[in-house]
Amino acid sequence: MTRILGISGSLRTRSFNTALLRAAQSLAGPDVELDAATLHGIPLYDGDAEQRDGLPAAVVELKERVVASDGVLLCTPEYNNGIPGVFKNAIDWLSRPADDIPRVFGDRPFAVIGASPGGFGTILAQNAWLPVLRTLRVRYWSGGRLQVSRAHTLMDAEGQLADEATRKQLADFVQGFANFIRADVQKG
């Protein structure tokens, strides 16, 4: 069983990216366990608070979910042509303390997808993640790309991904990422 942790980078209740992540869970297939996480409860990073209080419980919990996974799928919105601050903030917290970066991120397979109401999907946010992930020394899967454009037209009244073509692309993406993870595990 391949264990993937998906993290939605949006806090909205009816987030397109959380809906995309839920759809990925349902389409993952019998050989993939896809756990879904949100960023709720993670405060703004404050080095003084970290020094005084240590890591917040929500950060520790998410960090351990990353460590327990075989790979991580970031479901990123795109705000103002870049990474949402709340999502980058969470990754910054997960990289603390710095000597824990190899345990949490080092050589762990990562992939990025995203959904947006705009016409270009999340291409700029996905590209903006590359230097961050390179700095953290993850093993980035570049074998697939999924940028869901005009996401509001692909969801049903309950906020579920209803477009069959997009569901097929998502299922193929998740299986491709899982295959990358399995190949990576076999090499290591």
Side-chain angles (χ1 to χ4, degrees), residues 6 87 126:
F87 209 175
Q126 289 189 35

Side-chain angles (χ1 to χ4, degrees), residues 126-137:
Q126 289 189 35
N127 287 342
W129 275 111
L130 297 177
V132 175
L133 297 174
R134 196 171 19 256
T135 297
L136 296 171
R137 300 191 183 277

